[in-house]
Amino acid sequence: MKYSSPPDKLIFYAQVWEIVRMIPPGRVSTYGKIAGWVPIAQTLNPQSYRAWGARWVGGAMANCPEDVPWQRVVNSQGKISLPANSKGYSHQKKLLEDEGIIFNNQDVIDLKRFGWNGPA
DNA sequence: TCCTTGACTCAGA
DNA sequence: CTCTGAGCCAAGG
């Protein structure tokens, strides 16, 4: 929802979506990494950004346009960051499996294998 | 105005 | 591997 937002919320979200759209099929990335690739606003100090960037990315995912492959974004543990029983959870899992991503018996994705190296 | 609450992460037990 | 707690910030009830 609307917990703390970056100075230019819409700008930030747009940047996040742009990066997420670069994630190739069959690969995933994490909130924290994506936050790290989004240019940090001058008005924010690094430590605040480190603590909140990931959550803002989450906020961006919650409000992303249809053309954004939000399902390719998981938390740093390689797990889907949604309630395990929610509809969104199963939806995301299915989309990822359809792309060839494998979940182990604990519903965890092996980031070593499926993690994306980033836009650079 | 006070209190709860987030699609997070990291370190420690 | 699982579970806690701390960190960090602002909107909304």
Side-chain angles (χ1 to χ4, degrees), chain A residues 29-37 49 53-55 57 73-76:
Chain A
S29 193
T30 69
Y31 298 97
K33 283 182 179 171
I34 290 173
W37 294 323
Y49 186 69
R55 296 167 94 144
V57 170
V73 182
V74 296
N75 63 30
S76 67

Side-chain angles (χ1 to χ4, degrees), chain A residues 82-103:
Chain A
L82 288 174
N85 50 10
S86 70
K87 181 180 180 181
Y89 184 95
S90 53
H91 182 202
Q92 178 168 17
K93 184 177 179 181
K94 184 185 186 314
L95 288 173
L96 292 176
E97 293 182 319
D98 285 346
E99 295 184 352
I101 288 174
I102 300 171
F103 285 77

Side-chain angles (χ1 to χ4, degrees), chain A residues 4-99:
Chain A
S4 51
S5 305
D8 297 299
K9 184 176 176 181
L10 295 180
I11 302 289
F12 181 84
Y13 282 8
Q15 292 176 132
V16 170
W17 297 330
E18 193 176 334
I19 289 174
V20 173
R21 274 190 278 251
M22 288 189 267
I23 302 175
R27 292 304 201 76
V28 297
S29 193
T30 69
Y31 298 97
K33 283 182 179 171
I34 290 173
W37 294 323
V38 174
I40 176 175
Q42 303 287 310
T43 55
L44 294 172
N45 58 22
Q47 66 177 79
S48 290
Y49 186 69
R50 183 177 68 71
W52 287 92
R55 296 167 94 144
W56 291 337
V57 170
M61 291 303 95
N63 293 288
C64 69
E66 292 181 20
D67 65 325
V68 175
W70 59 274
Q71 73 274 18
R72 298 185 192 136
V73 182
V74 296
N75 63 30
S76 67
Q77 305 169 73
K79 295 195 298 187
I80 293 174
S81 251
L82 288 174
N85 50 10
S86 70
K87 181 180 180 181
Y89 184 95
S90 53
H91 182 202
Q92 178 168 17
K93 184 177 179 181
K94 184 185 186 314
L95 288 173
L96 292 176
E97 293 182 319
D98 285 346
E99 295 184 352

